[in-house]
Amino acid sequence: MKIPRQPMLHQDEHVRRANFDEVALGYTEETAKKEAERCLQCKKPLCSEGCPVGVLIPQFIKALREGDMPKAVEAMKVKNNLPAICGRVCPQESQCEGKCILGKKGEPVAIGRLERFVGDYELAHRTCPLNAAPPTGKKVAVVGTGPAGLTCAVDVAREGHTVTMFESLHGPGGVLIYGIPEFRLPKSVVHGEIDYAAKCLGIEIRSDHVIGRTITLDELLAEYDAVFLGTGAGLPSFMRIPGINLNGVMSANEFLTRVNLMKGYLFPNYDTPVKAGRKVAVIGAGNVAMDAARCSARIQHLHAQQNGTQPGEVHIVYRRSKEEIPARAEEVHHAMEEGIIFDLLTNPIEIMGDSTGKVVGMRCIRMELGEPDASGRRKPVPIAGSEFEMEVDTVIMALGTNPNPIVFVDAEGLERTKYGTAVADNDTGRTKKQRVWAGGDVVTGAATVISAMGAGKRAAADINKFLKGEAAW
Amino acid sequence: MYKILEKQVLSDVTKLMVIEAPHVAQKAKAGQFIIVRIDENGERIPLTIADFDRKAGTITIIFQEVGKSTLQLGAMKAGDSVSTFVGPLGHPTEIENFGTVVCMGGGVGIAPIYPIARALKEGGNKVISIIGARTKDLLFWEDKMKAVSDELHICTDDGSHGRKALVTEPLKEVLEDKSRAVAKVWAIGPAVMMKFVSQTTKPFGVPTIVSLNTIMIDGTGMCGGCRVLLEDGAQFVCVDGPEFDGHKVDWGNLLSRLSFYKEEEKAAVDHYKNHICNLDKAVAEGGK
C-alpha cells in the first residue's frame, strides 16, 4: 500500500493565538521514518538540484530511513550548516519539494520536515560532525552573523582558517533573531546552530561592532587576509504617502525587532515596550508581513487575556491579488487560520491622524490587475473613484528593505548598484574591492534565508581557494 | 561586558559614568552617541558621548534619571558592568573656525555641549555659552563650561541660580547685539528647549544645529523608529544625525513621537519601583 505524505502536528490555532510558542511541532521518530520510506532514492535527484545549497537529500533520507541518525547528520552537514533553521523557514514548495518526482502525480516527499527532524536531532545530541582542518594561520573576518555570514564562517573555519565574526547588535543571528518570530523559528534553535560555529569550530563572535562606525572595512582589510560581507538588507522602506511619520506608523523591522530581539511581548518583565493597537494594518504580503501580522494578533490576544477585553483586528493590506502574494503558502495559511483579515487589491494613499499626531485611519484605493510589469507579475492599477477609509490605529510597513549604507563608509572601491546593493560576482561572491567578498541580502536585496546561505557557501569556496593560493584575485 | 570604572553624582538625578569600552573610545568624536543596554532584559538606550579617552579606552556618559532604564543605570556602582555598549554612532560635529558661536546646553544637554564648546574654542572660535536648567540642583559643569567659553550665561527657571530666565532670553540679547555677529548656534537639551532656541534664531537667520535624541532601538538605521520630519522629508536620526538644522525640523511631529510610549514608560517605572520595594522588603525580612 502506498504511504501518504505524513502530516506534522501543529499547535491548535485558537490556543496559539495567545502565545509565542512554536506553531509546527515537527515529526516524531516514527512519522519521520514513515515519511522517509516514501523517497524513491532517484538516481538523478531533482530535489538536490532545486536546493540553493545542493543538500545531499537522497543520502540523508536514506540514512534516516535506516535509523542511522549520526550518518544522516553527517550527510546533511556536507552542504548545510543550519538544517534545523532551513527545515523550518525555507520555501520548500518552490525548491526541493517543488522538484520532487512524487509531486508530479501526488504529494512530494516532505523534505523540509525531514530536514528539520535531522537538524533537531543534531541540536539535541551535538555530534559536531566535520570538525576543522589543522590551522593555516590565515585570518578571515566575516561581517554580519545572519544566515549568509554564519554559512560562510563555518565553511571557511572548517578549512582551518581563523574566523572572527562581527555583529552590530548585542548578539549573533541577524534576521534569524530580530526578524523571524519565536513561533516560527525558536531562538533556542538559532542559538544551537550558532553554538556549533563557536564551540565546534572555535569561531570568535564580536558583538556590538558596527562596521563603518566602530571599525571600517579598510581597517579590517589591514588585519585580515579576507573579508566577507554578509550584512543583509536592514534599511526599511516607507511608502511615500502623507502621514508616514504619525504615531502608530512603523516599519516591520521596528515592530519585529521590538517583539523578537527585545522580547517586547514580555513587557514589563523585559524593558522594551511594543504596541499593537486595536486595529492593525500591515502593508505588504511577504513573509515579513505575515510575521508582523501574526505577532500583532498574538500581542492583541495576550493583552485581551490580561485585561479581560476582546482582542482587536489585524489586516494584511496588499495591492495585488491572492495569486501574487509573495509569502510562503504555509505562512499565509497559518495567518488565515489565526484570523488575519486579507484586504487584497487595496493600496493605502494616505494615513490620517488626530490632533495629537496619533494614527486614526487610512485612506485606501481599490486596485485592479493590468498588464505584466518588469517583475512578470500583473501590474496593479488604481480604480478611479474607489477611495475609501479604513479605521486603524497602527500601520506596519512591510515593503521590503535595502542594504544599510553605513557598511560602505570608508570602503573605497566597493562598488554599489543604484539600489544600494553591493556589486558581487554571483558564482564567487567577489566584489570590486580586492579581498572583499559579499553575499546574501546585501547583494541581492531582501530575499530568503536559504539563498543567503547559498551565497555564503559559494563565497566561502572561493575564499578557501584564494587563501590556498589556488585562485588569484 | 563593559565595566563602569567611575561614577559621579552631578545632581540628584544626573549621573556621570566612565565606562571601559576600548572599541568605542578608539573612534569616538564629539557629537556622536552610543547605545547602552544594562542587562539581558534591558532596552537599548541612546546616550550622547560626553567625553572619551582613547589611551584609557573609556567613554564618559552623562544621563538624567527619567525612565526605568536610566533609574536602573543610575543605581549601578563603579565596578558593575553593563552588557551592551556600542558605538560610536551618528556623525560627529563639524568643527571649523566660524568666528563667534553660541553653545546652548539645557539640563543634561550641558554634558554633550561641553566637548563641542571645547572643540570650537580649540578651533579658534569666540565661544559664548548659555546653560540652564529648571533649578540649581540640575545644573552642573559650570566651571568646565567657563573654562572653554569666552562668555558664560547661566539661567534657571526658578531663579535659584544665575538669572531667572529661559535660555532663549540671553540668547536673544546676544543675537540682537550687532557687535557680536553670531555665525552659528548649537543647542542640546530637551526637545522643547531646542524648538524654542530654533524659533529664536530663525528671524536672525543664524544657522542653528540641534542634536536630537529620539526613540531608537538598534541605532544603525535598521528600525526606522527614530525618523524625524524635516522640511525636505523624513530622515533617520541614528544614521543621518544626530545633528540637524533646527530651522528645518518639524518640532510638533518630533514632540508627538517622543510621547508615543508615555504610558508604557510610566508602567515600566512603576513595575521597577515595585520590584525594588519588594526586594527591600525581602531583604529586611530575611535579616530578621
Side-chain angles (χ1 to χ4, degrees):
Chain A
M1 198 182 77
K2 234 174 150 185
I3 308 168
R5 181 170 157 118
Q6 296 298 297
M8 178 166 53
L9 285 175
H10 286 79
Q11 205 197 140
D12 178 85
E13 64 207 54
H14 296 287
V15 176
R16 74 183 193 234
R17 280 176 204 185
N19 69 51
F20 276 77
D21 300 340
E22 196 168 18
V23 168
L25 301 173
Y27 276 160
T28 60
E29 198 182 327
E30 190 193 346
T31 46
K33 275 191 174 163
K34 214 164 169 188
E35 182 64 28
E37 288 291 336
R38 299 180 64 227
C39 174
L40 299 178
Q41 291 289 313
C42 303
K43 281 271 177 310
K44 201 171 159 281
L46 294 173
C47 51
S48 291
E49 283 175 25
C51 173
V53 301
V55 168
L56 307 178
I57 294 167
Q59 290 89 327
F60 95 73
I61 292 182
K62 183 163 184 273
L64 200 166
R65 184 150 84 186
E66 288 162 357
D68 189 346
M69 288 306 291
K71 199 172 159 196
V73 172
E74 206 182 315
M76 176 70 70
K77 291 241 164 173
V78 171
K79 294 287 183 183
N80 187 352
N81 308 329
L82 313 169
I85 293 171
C86 291
R88 286 173 169 83
V89 304
C90 272
Q92 290 105 8
E93 67 271 20
S94 61
Q95 297 178 344
C96 52
E97 295 181 21
K99 295 269 175 107
C100 176
I101 205 85
L102 285 184
K104 299 269 188 256
K105 281 191 179 158
E107 290 204 278
V109 175
I111 300 166
R113 295 171 184 177
L114 293 176
E115 178 177 39
R116 169 184 165 149
F117 183 76
V118 171
D120 285 351
Y121 175 90
E122 202 278 320
L123 281 179
H125 297 82
R126 186 77 324 152
T127 49
C128 276
L130 301 172
N131 284 325
T136 61
K138 303 276 189 195
K139 290 169 73 182
V140 179
V142 172
V143 184
T145 60
L150 276 173
T151 306
C152 180
V154 167
D155 278 12
V156 169
R158 277 177 182 171
E159 293 288 308
H161 308 306
T162 304
V163 178
T164 309
M165 298 191 79
F166 294 87
E167 168 58 46
S168 66
L169 288 170
H170 50 256
V175 72
L176 303 170
I177 294 289
Y178 76 75
I180 303 179
E182 181 77 18
F183 57 80
R184 201 149 76 79
L185 180 65
K187 302 292 160 262
S188 58
V189 170
V190 182
H191 290 139
E193 300 285 31
I194 292 166
D195 274 0
Y196 167 72
K199 295 196 180 126
C200 296
L201 296 165
I203 293 169
E204 187 199 345
I205 300 173
R206 284 191 207 158
S207 298
D208 304 333
H209 279 67
V210 184
I211 303 306
R213 293 269 193 261
T214 315
I215 310 181
T216 65
L217 184 58
D218 285 335
E219 286 167 330
L220 284 180
L221 283 169
E223 198 185 332
Y224 294 88
D225 298 291
V227 176
F228 174 77
L229 294 180
T231 46
L235 191 75
S237 306
F238 289 91
M239 289 184 93
R240 289 175 192 275
I241 57 173
I244 66 122
N245 235 38
L246 287 166
N247 264 336
V249 183
M250 61 191 121
S251 70
N253 261 9
E254 175 179 356
F255 180 72
L256 290 173
T257 301
R258 283 182 185 275
V259 176
N260 301 325
L261 177 74
M262 307 310 295
K263 297 196 168 44
Y265 61 96
L266 299 174
F267 179 86
N269 291 324
Y270 279 75
D271 295 342
T272 308
V274 60
K275 279 192 210 259
R278 299 271 314 146
K279 279 192 121 183
V280 179
V282 178
I283 317 299
N287 287 322
V288 171
M290 297 305 141
D291 286 344
R294 296 171 70 198
C295 284
S296 299
R298 279 164 172 76
I299 290 167
Q300 286 179 341
H301 278 81
L302 283 171
H303 285 177
Q305 274 186 356
Q306 279 158 14
N307 306 327
T309 52
Q310 286 299 309
E313 279 175 19
V314 181
H315 295 248
I316 287 273
V317 178
Y318 182 50
R319 63 197 184 122
R320 299 180 199 253
S321 75
K322 189 164 184 233
E323 282 65 51
E324 291 85 22
I325 288 180
R328 286 183 65 197
E330 188 180 324
E331 304 311 330
V332 177
H333 173 70
H334 284 158
M336 285 177 167
E337 278 184 345
E338 289 163 14
I340 309 296
I341 302 159
F342 283 68
D343 297 310
L344 302 168
L345 291 165
T346 303
N347 206 25
I349 47 177
E350 183 185 354
I351 300 162
M352 297 166 309
D354 64 10
S355 59
T356 68
K358 262 186 95 306
V359 172
V360 291
M362 194 163 72
R363 257 163 66 77
C364 297
I365 190 162
R366 304 270 183 221
M367 310 291 278
E368 58 189 352
L369 294 179
E371 294 301 308
D373 65 9
S375 73
R377 297 177 298 180
R378 292 177 63 196
K379 190 181 156 73
V381 185
I383 301 172
S386 68
E387 293 89 346
F388 67 100
E389 285 181 12
M390 252 177 105
E391 188 199 325
V392 294
D393 55 15
T394 306
V395 178
I396 300 174
M397 300 269 175
L399 301 165
T401 48
N402 301 304
N404 191 323
I406 62 171
V407 68
F408 299 96
V409 170
D410 288 338
E412 209 185 319
L414 187 69
E415 204 181 306
R416 296 163 68 190
T417 67
K418 62 174 177 175
Y419 304 106
T421 52
V423 174
D425 182 85
N426 186 50
D427 295 330
T428 62
R430 288 187 183 198
T431 67
K432 297 288 177 189
K433 193 174 171 69
Q434 286 225 355
R435 294 190 288 124
V436 179
W437 286 256
D441 288 2
V442 70
V443 173
T444 57
T448 59
V449 169
I450 190 75
S451 67
M453 288 177 54
K457 228 176 170 57
R458 291 191 294 277
D462 193 58
I463 292 170
N464 288 335
K465 270 190 198 165
F466 176 80
L467 293 179
K468 260 190 215 160
E470 289 171 5
W473 183 266
Chain B
M1 296 295 270
Y2 306 89
K3 206 171 182 181
I4 300 166
L5 298 178
E6 190 189 329
K7 177 185 172 185
Q8 285 176 28
V9 178
L10 300 182
S11 81
D12 283 355
V13 292
T14 317
K15 309 277 162 80
L16 173 151
M17 282 177 178
V18 179
I19 308 224
E20 187 174 48
H23 70 299
V24 186
Q26 214 46 253
K27 278 285 162 61
K29 285 189 178 146
Q32 291 185 295
F33 67 95
I34 54 93
I35 280 188
V36 60
R37 191 181 64 129
I38 296 165
D39 56 27
E40 256 329 286
N41 296 18
E43 58 186 330
R44 294 168 63 95
I45 15 174
L47 292 171
T48 315
I49 293 171
D51 208 349
F52 52 85
D53 184 335
R54 290 199 213 290
K55 253 199 202 145
T58 60
I59 297 283
T60 303
I61 52 169
I62 293 179
F63 57 94
Q64 203 165 317
E65 295 168 351
V66 280
K68 189 258 172 181
S69 296
T70 42
L71 276 167
Q72 191 187 354
L73 185 61
M76 294 177 84
K77 302 180 293 290
D80 293 344
S81 293
V82 293
S83 66
T84 301
F85 201 83
V86 54
L89 302 168
H91 293 287
T93 307
E94 281 175 37
I95 305 288
E96 277 176 47
N97 189 346
F98 300 97
T100 299
V101 296
V102 178
C103 292
M104 320 263 309
V108 75
I110 299 167
I113 204 72
Y114 168 71
I116 295 173
R118 184 178 59 186
L120 285 164
K121 181 73 195 157
E122 284 165 2
N125 292 276
K126 183 180 179 213
V127 177
I128 300 171
S129 295
I130 305 173
I131 60 173
R134 276 204 316 280
T135 178
K136 183 176 182 258
D137 295 341
L138 297 172
L139 278 172
F140 56 91
W141 280 12
E142 199 180 315
D143 292 349
K144 290 181 84 157
M145 285 303 291
K146 203 169 190 172
V148 298
S149 309
D150 293 277
E151 199 179 312
L152 176 67
H153 300 259
I154 298 161
C155 310
T156 48
D157 293 6
D158 63 358
S160 52
H161 188 59
R163 183 169 163 183
K164 182 178 190 296
L166 297 172
V167 287
T168 44
E169 275 185 44
L171 172 66
K172 192 152 180 268
E173 289 161 15
V174 168
L175 293 167
E176 276 166 349
D177 179 355
K178 293 280 182 297
S179 68
R180 282 164 152 129
V182 174
K184 213 165 179 171
V185 173
W186 276 261
I188 310 183
V192 165
M193 170 227 161
M194 293 191 282
K195 170 185 164 177
F196 284 108
V197 166
S198 302
Q199 281 180 2
T200 306
T201 57
K202 195 156 188 190
F204 296 91
V206 178
T208 302
I209 306 290
V210 294
S211 178
L212 303 183
N213 190 346
T214 46
I215 292 171
M216 219 176 253
I217 307 176
D218 58 291
T220 61
M222 199 184 85
C223 78
C226 65
R227 64 194 187 280
V228 54
L229 266 191
L230 301 180
E231 267 172 20
D232 30 14
Q235 290 210 313
F236 291 174
V237 170
C238 68
V239 289
D240 301 317
E243 294 185 349
F244 292 93
D245 178 344
H247 296 152
K248 288 191 174 164
V249 173
D250 180 335
W251 293 101
N253 183 261
L254 182 88
L255 286 160
S256 149
R257 286 184 67 81
L258 284 172
S259 69
F260 189 50
Y261 287 103
K262 271 262 144 55
E263 280 171 39
E264 287 80 2
E265 281 161 15
K266 194 183 167 296
V269 169
D270 291 346
H271 181 78
Y272 174 66
K273 287 192 169 156
N274 197 12
H275 177 71
I276 292 288
C277 290
N278 288 337
L279 254 183
D280 286 347
K281 216 168 101 187
V283 170
E285 278 167 5
K288 272 176 201 165

